[in-house]
Amino acid sequence: MVRRNYRRKKITKVKSSLSSGDSRNRKKYVKSRPEVYGILILMVSVLLFISVFGFSNTGFLNTYVNDFLSFVFGVGKFLVPFMLLIWGFSFFLKRIRLLPSSFGWGFFLLFFSILGILSLRKIFLFNNFNYADIFDKVLVKTRGGIVGAGIFYGLYKLFSSAGAVVVLGVLMVISILIITKISLIDIGKKIIYLLKKINFKSVGNLFKRRSKEDEYTVLKKPLIDEKEIYGSHGKVDLKKIEVIDNAYRAFKEKVETQDESIKKISTIEAASDQLKIPTVKSGDLENNYRLPPINLLKKSRDLPSKLYKQGVKERVYILNRLFSDFNLDARIDRVVSGPTVTLYEMKLSPGVKVQRLLSLEDDFCVALGSPDLRIHIPIPGKSAIGIEVPNIVRSIVTLGDIYSDDDKNLTDNLLNVPLGKNLSGNIIYMDIIKMPHILIAGATNSGKSSCLNSIIISLLMKVRPSEVRFIMIDPKMVELSIYNGIPHLLSPVVINPKRAASALAWVVGEMEKRFKILVERNFKSLEMYNFEAKRNENEYENFKPLPYVLVFIDELADLMILSASEVEDSICRIAQMGRAVGIHLIISTQRPSVNIITGLIKANIPSRIAFMVTSNVDSRVILDCGGAEKLVGKGDMLYLPYYSNRPERIQGAFVTSREIEMITGYIRNISSPEYSLEVSKRISDEKKDTHDEDDLFYDALRVVVNFGHASASLLQRRLKIGYSRAARILDQMEDRELISAYDGSKPREVLISKVDLIKLLEEEN
């Protein structure tokens, strides 16, 4: 019995191996079969090219095929080889093969409509044409063939000649719409939008200007409409600007110098309560400043839907098979495909514990081939469980896809910016006024800087310098420096971490000044103050709207390492009180640790954005919950606003450096920066305080460089000074990064060489 069972098992193993080998060969044959079809179709298309176009002496078969195609399709025979050529290439090119089937049907509908219209041309060529001769062999070959004649003749019998023309024209339009996927409603909206942009008055002024070119006087400004200079899309036309004469330019410069002197006198005589932030007059802004055009932002390419559908079907099959293998009574109820991940909604049968599903998470990862799997228990608002699986083919979400001039969410709220798209493909917005401060954290190369750039560019596309001003702190020196020179900045981008603390201290002082103004005017918020100021701007000189101030910090870790106490105190004070006076913080860091994102900072900044991190601990530091460690990077984020207790997964918008350069360059050409003297003076004073050296500073520096280490006792012996003075000199050396920091009983290391010391002494002399 044992031997028989052993033989039976051996025979079944051999059969299974043979059957598996046959299935493998069958799969290889199935994979290679479409290529064979493609080669055969390409061969037929080449032969048709030879027979139809007659490139060489054709044979008997080619001549017969040419006559047959001429009789059937007429002039349309020249399109048949091209159609076969595209069909043959579709077996090799995925981009053509994955096109929807409606594309082919639309192409065939267009082809037969053209054949009918070619047959229609016989009526217009021959006035005394008899419809009984429509199937004449000679005319059929020179027009739309027997097929086109049959199509037209049938339509003629049903609808008469005029009706046939209408039907064929409509069929051509429908086929073009099917092929191009263009909507007539969208075309109409675009035409109306372009007509609204065109200013017909400026076109009329151009003709008037040509007749009045010789009537120019020196003291009279020429009648040039500003829309002629900037155009309908806000782009500067340099050729029209250069038309201004030198005499008029000299007169204009004199007037501008007089206006500047008058402005200086008026600012000196203004009340001391008015803030010293340079505010531009609303009239100047309306005339000189133009918002960047929307066409500077690029849109992403739409990928074919078949790329997603095939992967979704395979994963649904894998998940259902896993449920049956592990005896888990569950089913996939709904699938939501997003730009980065796909959500599979699953329902468990009554009596099945959720803990069983969580214990199978590793098995799901192995079966789906994805290490980053995220499970929702439950999906908000539904009695279902969600499994988020990253897509095999990811689609990029650009800022041009989510930003639009016609979007009411952006036009109605001043500081409302788009963040990205969620799983359903809906645009997610962030209102900075309501947040009121944002913390962005994540690992390196996960998308933090792209998110920060998309927020800044979104604001630059919609706000004016009189409405919003920026303070940018960038210790990394490369991310935000591209924005130098734009008129929205209160000061140049701060790249020195030591001066960042003084810039934040200025923001705290500015916040206190604004509170005094609101208290004197009996207002609770900056929105109410600006609303009344715009209404009464002409009545009171000192009652003017105040701009919002946004503080961007690209790397918080560098600031916390150098001056943790000062930076933390300033950030906490601004976060606690800055909302009422229009001051908001947007902080980014790549080190989400407890010593960088402290408890006080987290308590005062409720709105947070988490990108991909390395561990669950870092995710809990940012969001107070896990999940960020399972993100896939490249803009994949978890957005936790102040009004929600569960983060939402979003694919962030991407902005290229080319787009940033184009937009900032456009803004620099229109308006020049007007930096605040208070901020620059505060930073320069801080710089002077750090460079007040002792009289024996350079003598002490020579001593420590010669000995190779620094200590207070060494300076006491060599310079014959007291301990307190020697310790102050060491602190000054440490501030200038000439020696290392204090390290217990060990002597301080000298960080400069003798050559550097000689150069430093020469510069000082």
Side-chain angles (χ1 to χ4, degrees):
M1 291 292 293
V2 176
R3 288 182 180 178
R4 289 178 182 176
N5 292 332
Y6 177 75
R7 288 177 181 175
R8 287 176 183 174
K9 290 179 181 179
K10 194 171 182 180
I11 291 168
T12 54
K13 286 182 180 179
V14 172
K15 288 182 178 179
S16 62
S17 63
L18 290 172
S19 62
S20 63
D22 293 338
S23 62
R24 289 174 186 171
N25 295 330
R26 195 179 299 122
K27 286 180 180 178
K28 290 180 181 178
Y29 173 70
V30 169
K31 288 181 180 179
S32 61
R33 188 167 56 188
E35 297 180 358
V36 175
Y37 292 160
I39 293 170
L40 291 175
I41 293 170
L42 288 174
M43 181 192 70
V44 173
S45 66
V46 172
L47 292 175
L48 287 179
F49 268 110
I50 296 171
S51 61
V52 170
F53 292 96
F55 292 117
S56 61
N57 295 325
T58 57
F60 171 75
L61 184 61
N62 288 337
T63 305
Y64 179 78
V65 169
N66 186 18
D67 294 338
F68 176 75
L69 292 177
S70 299
F71 179 74
V72 175
F73 299 116
V75 183
K77 68 179 181 179
F78 297 105
L79 297 176
V80 175
F82 291 101
M83 294 169 64
L84 288 176
L85 188 68
I86 295 171
W87 188 23
F89 276 120
S90 67
F91 289 93
F92 300 96
L93 300 177
K94 278 188 176 180
R95 184 168 293 182
I96 301 175
R97 189 172 62 205
L98 293 174
L99 287 172
S101 58
S102 59
F103 178 82
W105 290 112
F107 198 82
F108 279 112
L109 183 62
L110 179 64
F111 176 69
F112 288 114
S113 301
I114 292 172
L115 293 181
I117 290 173
L118 289 174
S119 299
L120 178 67
R121 291 177 59 191
K122 290 183 282 187
I123 298 175
F124 300 102
L125 290 175
F126 305 103
N127 294 325
N128 298 323
F129 183 75
N130 188 6
Y131 286 99
D133 298 332
I134 193 170
F135 296 102
D136 183 53
K137 293 183 179 180
V138 178
L139 295 177
V140 159
K141 290 184 179 181
T142 57
R143 296 293 175 248
I146 192 70
V147 175
I151 291 171
F152 176 72
Y153 186 74
L155 293 174
Y156 164 72
K157 285 292 185 181
L158 292 173
F159 306 108
S160 75
S161 59
V165 172
V166 172
V167 172
L168 290 173
V170 171
L171 289 177
M172 281 192 66
V173 173
I174 292 172
S175 62
I176 293 171
L177 293 178
I178 293 172
I179 294 170
T180 58
K181 293 184 178 181
I182 297 175
S183 174
L184 290 176
I185 298 173
D186 294 338
I187 295 172
K189 288 181 179 179
K190 289 181 180 179
I191 292 171
I192 294 170
Y193 179 75
L194 292 174
L195 289 175
K196 287 181 179 179
K197 286 286 185 181
I198 297 172
N199 193 351
F200 296 99
K201 291 183 179 179
S202 62
V203 178
N205 289 331
L206 283 174
F207 294 102
K208 292 179 182 178
R209 186 178 164 219
R210 289 178 182 175
S211 61
K212 294 183 179 180
E213 282 182 351
D214 299 331
E215 298 178 4
Y216 175 78
T217 56
V218 176
L219 297 178
K220 187 176 180 180
K221 187 175 179 179
L223 297 172
I224 302 175
D225 193 1
E226 289 176 359
K227 294 181 180 178
E228 295 176 22
I229 296 175
Y230 287 93
S232 61
H233 297 286
K235 295 183 179 179
V236 180
D237 195 350
L238 298 177
K239 296 180 180 179
K240 294 180 181 178
I241 293 175
E242 292 174 356
V243 173
I244 300 174
D245 292 341
N246 293 327
Y248 175 72
R249 187 180 291 122
F251 171 74
K252 187 178 177 181
E253 289 177 357
K254 289 181 181 179
V255 174
E256 287 179 353
T257 52
Q258 291 176 1
D259 291 339
E260 288 178 359
S261 61
I262 293 169
K263 286 180 182 178
K264 289 180 181 178
I265 295 169
S266 61
T267 52
I268 294 170
E269 293 177 354
S272 59
D273 293 337
Q274 181 66 25
L275 293 181
K276 295 182 180 180
I277 293 179
T279 56
V280 185
K281 291 184 178 180
S282 59
D284 296 337
L285 278 173
E286 293 296 331
N287 296 329
N288 297 331
Y289 189 79
R290 293 289 184 274
L291 294 174
I294 192 67
N295 56 9
L296 294 179
L297 296 175
K298 295 181 179 179
K299 294 186 177 182
S300 61
R301 296 180 180 177
D302 294 332
L303 296 176
S305 59
K306 285 190 177 181
L307 289 174
Y308 299 101
K309 291 180 180 178
Q310 187 64 27
V312 168
K313 288 180 181 178
E314 291 177 358
R315 286 181 168 175
V316 169
Y317 172 74
I318 292 171
L319 288 173
N320 289 327
R321 191 183 64 188
L322 281 174
F323 296 155
S324 62
D325 291 344
F326 290 100
N327 295 324
L328 188 67
D329 195 0
R331 71 179 191 277
I332 301 297
D333 191 47
R334 186 166 173 261
V335 178
V336 181
S337 182
T340 305
V341 296
T342 301
L343 178 66
Y344 298 87
E345 293 186 7
M346 181 181 62
K347 284 191 176 181
L348 298 176
S349 298
V352 180
K353 291 185 178 181
V354 178
Q355 196 63 33
R356 284 191 60 195
L357 177 67
L358 294 177
S359 63
L360 299 174
E361 183 176 354
D362 294 335
D363 298 303
F364 288 157
C365 293
V366 173
L368 296 172
S370 174
D372 305 313
L373 200 70
R374 192 163 169 261
I375 299 177
H376 285 281
I377 303 176
I379 297 174
K382 295 182 180 179
S383 60
I385 298 173
I387 301 176
E388 290 181 357
V389 183
N391 293 335
I392 300 173
V393 180
R394 296 178 57 182
S395 60
I396 299 174
V397 178
T398 62
L399 188 59
D401 297 335
I402 60 177
Y403 188 90
S404 176
D405 290 336
D406 302 331
D407 195 346
K408 291 184 178 180
N409 292 316
L410 299 176
T411 55
D412 295 344
N413 300 324
L414 183 64
L415 297 183
N416 197 12
V417 295
L419 273 183
K421 290 185 178 181
N422 60 2
L423 293 176
S424 302
N426 299 323
I427 302 174
I428 303 299
Y429 301 92
M430 180 180 68
D431 193 353
I432 299 176
I433 297 176
K434 295 179 180 179
M435 288 298 108
H437 312 285
I438 302 101
L439 176 65
I440 304 171
T444 306
N445 199 22
S446 60
K448 299 185 308 301
S449 298
S450 297
C451 179
L452 207 62
N453 286 323
S454 67
I455 293 173
I456 296 171
I457 293 298
S458 300
L459 291 171
L460 292 178
M461 295 292 292
K462 59 183 292 191
V463 300
R464 300 174 181 272
S466 63
E467 298 171 339
V468 179
R469 303 303 294 269
F470 299 155
I471 291 179
M472 295 185 179
I473 300 172
D474 182 19
K476 293 194 290 188
M477 304 183 187
V478 293
E479 295 295 341
L480 301 180
S481 299
I482 194 171
Y483 299 102
N484 265 324
I486 61 175
H488 298 76
L489 288 176
L490 281 171
S491 69
V493 179
V494 181
I495 59 176
N496 192 347
K498 293 184 178 180
R499 300 182 191 177
S502 61
L504 291 174
W506 177 87
V507 176
V508 174
E510 182 67 24
M511 179 181 67
E512 294 174 353
K513 290 180 182 178
R514 291 192 173 201
F515 269 112
K516 291 179 182 178
I517 293 175
L518 294 182
V519 170
E520 290 177 0
R521 300 280 183 178
N522 294 325
F523 291 108
K524 292 180 65 176
S525 65
L526 188 70
E527 293 181 12
M528 299 171 62
Y529 176 86
N530 286 341
F531 179 75
E532 291 295 330
K534 290 177 182 178
R535 290 176 58 189
N536 304 320
E537 189 174 4
N538 297 326
E539 298 179 6
Y540 304 100
E541 293 183 358
N542 299 329
F543 194 21
K544 296 180 181 179
L546 297 176
Y548 288 90
V549 177
L550 302 184
V551 182
F552 294 92
I553 302 175
D554 190 22
E555 187 48 60
L556 180 64
D558 291 342
L559 307 185
M560 296 294 289
I561 289 171
L562 292 176
S563 52
S565 59
E566 297 177 5
V567 171
E568 185 178 6
D569 293 342
S570 300
I571 289 175
C572 290
R573 288 208 64 195
I574 297 169
Q576 289 170 357
M577 305 170 63
R579 176 183 181 180
V581 292
I583 299 176
H584 304 278
L585 292 171
I586 301 173
I587 303 172
S588 173
T589 181
Q590 63 181 7
R591 287 183 57 188
S593 57
V594 179
N595 57 346
I596 303 299
I597 305 175
T598 61
L600 286 173
I601 294 176
K602 286 176 62 178
N604 292 295
I605 303 179
S607 301
R608 300 160 200 168
I609 296 174
F611 288 87
M612 183 184 65
V613 293
T614 55
S615 64
N616 187 21
V617 177
D618 294 340
S619 177
R620 292 185 178 276
V621 170
I622 306 168
L623 302 173
D624 294 329
C625 64
E629 75 278 2
K630 296 181 180 180
L631 299 177
V632 296
K634 294 183 180 180
D636 191 16
M637 69 170 81
L638 289 177
Y639 172 50
L640 182 66
Y642 69 96
Y643 53 82
S644 177
N645 57 358
R646 294 187 66 173
E648 184 178 8
R649 193 164 188 174
I650 300 172
Q651 175 60 38
F654 177 68
V655 186
T656 61
S657 57
R658 176 64 178 166
E659 291 174 337
I660 298 173
E661 290 174 358
M662 290 171 64
I663 292 172
T664 53
Y666 178 87
I667 294 173
R668 290 191 196 100
N669 291 333
I670 290 177
S671 181
S672 58
E674 295 184 6
Y675 297 133
S676 174
L677 297 176
E678 276 194 41
V679 183
S680 57
K681 185 179 179 182
R682 184 67 174 265
I683 296 174
S684 62
D685 291 342
E686 189 77 15
K687 184 178 178 181
K688 289 179 181 178
D689 294 339
T690 56
H691 284 76
D692 292 336
E693 296 96 357
D694 192 276
D695 295 336
L696 297 176
F697 178 81
Y698 291 101
D699 295 333
L701 191 59
R702 290 192 191 95
V703 172
V704 298
V705 169
N706 291 330
F707 278 85
H709 66 275
S711 63
S713 59
L714 176 64
L715 297 181
Q716 284 179 276
R717 293 194 308 272
R718 292 295 173 181
L719 301 178
K720 298 178 181 180
I721 57 177
Y723 176 78
S724 59
R725 189 175 182 182
R728 279 198 303 271
I729 294 174
L730 289 177
D731 291 338
Q732 292 171 7
M733 292 181 183
E734 182 182 351
D735 292 338
R736 297 189 60 176
E737 299 179 356
L738 300 175
I739 61 175
S740 62
Y742 175 74
D743 189 13
S745 60
K746 295 181 181 179
R748 299 172 184 251
E749 296 180 1
V750 181
L751 302 179
I752 63 169
S753 61
K754 293 183 179 180
V755 179
D756 296 332
L757 176 61
I758 294 170
K759 292 181 181 179
L760 186 63
L761 293 174
E762 289 177 355
E763 291 176 359
E764 189 65 25
N765 293 329

